[in-house]
């Protein structure tokens, strides 16, 4: 299949044409990769039974790992799922935005989308291209990240092209994604919620609306993610890993620096801040931005892991930040990129 690559220009008329032809592909049961504020999504109709299997095939994703359904307005969920008062309280604060809520599904959503579950994950993306495509096509859109399964999610259209060229009908290039990590996924309870996947909407932010916010054990203790009967099936799979070996160290700054220096062999990189870059003279520095800037680090992480492969690094050393609110999503992805192995060294 020939994959069309179309660039958003900012010219209203040209961009409208792009949205119209993408909507046509969606309505015909085809696939379009689209920019969202989190990462690029691989979009297909959530109402056409045949679309979801095409998404799983293009990604090489196991079909029991359900897809998130994207809607234009919070009330569009009524057609797809049984909403609750808490859904609307959260929607008021976080929709559109990087929050996905799991609700009991209605029959209209094909089981191919939900991996056979009786629940459906709902998100309302803030990105104007995603929003317009949903509105113009008239279809809610099932969209996982637009990468080949197992490797880092795409935050730029070129990443999608590397993974999906010849596999899907169209890629829309809308520039770099703002957030760079996937949405926060929560399961709703009566007055509270459980975080199944951390993202830019943090536990602290959710607790402004929910009486209780619990973080699923599998988020914090990755080693058990593979063992427990996963509440969110996606958590049990190998994820976000580049070909380079990611060596994750839990240590203070000096101990980390010592460890990297003592183990420096071959062509290796270090994920570090601009502030600490000069400490690692023998390494390719993969810069996360300013020290302590969780948002910038999150935005850059997947791109840096892909860069590591482009320049054929054998190893990438990374230091594990404290597991506090803003770094939780970053840590969650980094730990999985490292195959859930953490080397714990003493902290001075
Ligand atoms: P991705 O499509 O790559 O952004 O991943 C979607 C995430 O949402 C995966 O971790 C899925 O397991 C999770 N997810 C989607 N639908 C459901 C659902 N109905 N119940 C639990 N988790 C879900
Ligand atoms: Mg994904």
């Amino acid at each position: 299949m020939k994959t069309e690559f179309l660039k958003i220009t900012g010219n209203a008329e040209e961009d409208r044409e792009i949205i119209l032809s993408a909507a046509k592909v969606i309505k015909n049961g085809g696939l379009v990769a689209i920019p969202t504020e989190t990462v690029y999504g691989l979009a297909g109709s959530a109402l056409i039974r045949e679309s979801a299997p095409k998404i799983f095939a293009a990604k090489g994703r196991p079909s029991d790992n359900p897809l998130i359904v994207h809607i234009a307005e919070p009330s569009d969920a009524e057609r797809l799922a049984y909403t609750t008062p808490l859904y609307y309280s959260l929607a008021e604060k976080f929709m559109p935005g990087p929050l996905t809520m799991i609700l009991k599904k209605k029959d209209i959503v094909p089981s191919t989308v939900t991996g056979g579950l009786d629940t459906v994950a709902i998100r309302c993306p803030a990105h104007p291209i995603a929003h317009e495509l949903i509105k113009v096509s008239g279809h809610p859109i099932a969209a996982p990240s637009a990468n080949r399964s197992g490797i880092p999610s795409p935050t730029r259209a070129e990443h999608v092209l590397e993974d999906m060229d010849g596999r899907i009908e169209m890629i829309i290039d809308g520039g770099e994604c703002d957030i760079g990590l996937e949405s926060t996924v929560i399961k709703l309870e009566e007055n509270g919620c459980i975080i199944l996947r951390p993202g830019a909407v943090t536990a602290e932010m959710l607790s402004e609306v929910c009486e209780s916010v619990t973080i699923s054990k599998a988020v914090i203790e990755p080693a058990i993610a593979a063992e427990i009967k996963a509440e969110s099936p996606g958590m049990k799979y190998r994820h976000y890993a580049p070909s380079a070996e990611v060596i994750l160290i839990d240590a203070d700054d000096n101990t980390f620096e010592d460890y990297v220096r003592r183990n420096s062999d071959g062509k290796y990189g270090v994920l570090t801040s601009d502030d600490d870059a000069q400490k690692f003279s023998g390494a390719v520095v993969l810069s996360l931005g300013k020290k302590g800037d969780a948002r910038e680090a999150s935005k850059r992480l997947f791109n840096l892991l892909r860069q590591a492969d482009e320049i054929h690094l054998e190893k990438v050393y990374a230091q594990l930040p404290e597991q506090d609110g803003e770094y939780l999503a970053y840590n969650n992805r980094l730990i999985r990129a490292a195959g859930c192995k953490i080397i714990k060294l003493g902290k001075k």
Side-chain angles (χ1 to χ4, degrees), residues 107-174:
D107 288 345
I108 192 172
V109 183
S111 60
T112 48
V113 169
T114 61
L117 298 176
D118 62 357
T119 51
V120 60
I122 301 280
R123 178 163 110 80
C124 188
H127 197 290
I129 299 300
H131 180 82
E132 278 304 294
L133 180 59
I134 300 164
K135 266 181 53 181
V136 171
S137 69
H139 285 238
I141 278 175
S145 50
N147 53 293
R148 298 272 296 151
S149 199
I151 68 173
S153 302
T155 55
R156 300 175 178 199
E158 304 83 67
H159 301 161
V160 181
L161 191 63
E162 281 163 25
D163 286 14
M164 292 296 159
D165 196 17
R167 296 176 161 267
I168 61 177
E169 279 81 355
M170 187 183 289
I171 297 171
I172 300 180
D173 180 358

Side-chain angles (χ1 to χ4, degrees), residues 196-215:
L196 302 181
R197 178 175 74 185
V201 175
T202 62
E204 195 185 1
M205 291 157 77
L206 290 165
S207 63
E208 285 171 27
V209 180
C210 298
E211 272 176 26
S212 70
V213 179
T214 317
I215 299 172

Side-chain angles (χ1 to χ4, degrees), residues 32-312:
V32 182
I34 55 167
T36 82
E37 72 275 26
T38 57
V39 299
Y40 273 78
L42 182 52
S45 168
L47 298 179
I48 301 175
R49 247 200 114 67
E50 293 71 29
S51 293
K54 290 185 194 168
I55 293 176
F56 289 114
K59 278 180 67 73
R61 170 163 165 149
S63 60
D64 68 345
N65 188 0
L67 306 174
I68 293 171
V69 177
H70 297 73
I71 56 177
E73 311 294 338
S75 60
D76 294 348
E78 295 299 338
R79 195 176 169 201
L80 309 167
Y82 296 93
T83 60
T84 64
L86 183 57
Y87 166 82
Y88 281 105
S89 309
L90 286 162
E92 199 168 311
K93 203 159 169 94
F94 301 113
M95 282 185 169
L99 179 68
T100 297
M101 293 189 245
I102 294 171
L103 298 168
K104 203 145 178 53
K105 88 174 191 71
K106 289 187 174 167
D107 288 345
I108 192 172
V109 183
S111 60
T112 48
V113 169
T114 61
L117 298 176
D118 62 357
T119 51
V120 60
I122 301 280
R123 178 163 110 80
C124 188
H127 197 290
I129 299 300
H131 180 82
E132 278 304 294
L133 180 59
I134 300 164
K135 266 181 53 181
V136 171
S137 69
H139 285 238
I141 278 175
S145 50
N147 53 293
R148 298 272 296 151
S149 199
I151 68 173
S153 302
T155 55
R156 300 175 178 199
E158 304 83 67
H159 301 161
V160 181
L161 191 63
E162 281 163 25
D163 286 14
M164 292 296 159
D165 196 17
R167 296 176 161 267
I168 61 177
E169 279 81 355
M170 187 183 289
I171 297 171
I172 300 180
D173 180 358
E176 188 175 14
C177 300
D178 256 2
I179 294 174
L181 298 181
E182 303 84 346
S183 60
T184 306
V185 177
I186 61 172
K187 194 168 147 187
L188 300 188
E189 300 195 305
E190 180 120 338
N191 292 311
C193 70
I194 304 170
I195 298 180
L196 302 181
R197 178 175 74 185
V201 175
T202 62
E204 195 185 1
M205 291 157 77
L206 290 165
S207 63
E208 285 171 27
V209 180
C210 298
E211 272 176 26
S212 70
V213 179
T214 317
I215 299 172
S216 165
K217 262 189 157 175
V219 168
I220 313 168
E221 295 174 51
I224 63 164
E227 286 159 29
I228 62 168
K229 189 175 171 294
E231 287 164 296
S232 179
M235 293 195 294
K236 71 185 178 202
Y237 295 109
R238 183 186 125 97
H239 245 127
Y240 317 121
S243 303
E245 184 188 1
V246 177
I247 301 170
L248 184 54
I249 316 285
D250 187 11
D252 60 59
D253 288 359
N254 289 338
T255 312
F256 175 63
E257 189 189 336
D258 279 354
Y259 184 90
V260 173
R261 195 170 297 131
R262 277 188 285 111
N263 289 279
S264 54
D265 57 341
K267 195 171 174 194
Y268 70 100
V270 181
L271 280 170
T272 188
S273 63
D274 290 336
D275 313 58
D276 288 341
Q278 82 290 347
K279 292 180 182 172
F280 302 100
S281 52
V284 174
V285 168
L286 302 166
S287 172
L288 296 163
K290 207 164 144 347
K291 194 167 176 139
D293 187 341
R295 267 194 211 184
E296 191 60 30
S298 299
K299 180 171 179 168
R300 295 187 187 194
L301 177 66
F302 287 145
N303 183 44
L304 293 174
L305 293 177
R306 282 184 178 252
Q307 264 181 31
D309 282 349
E310 264 164 42
I311 56 175
H312 306 292

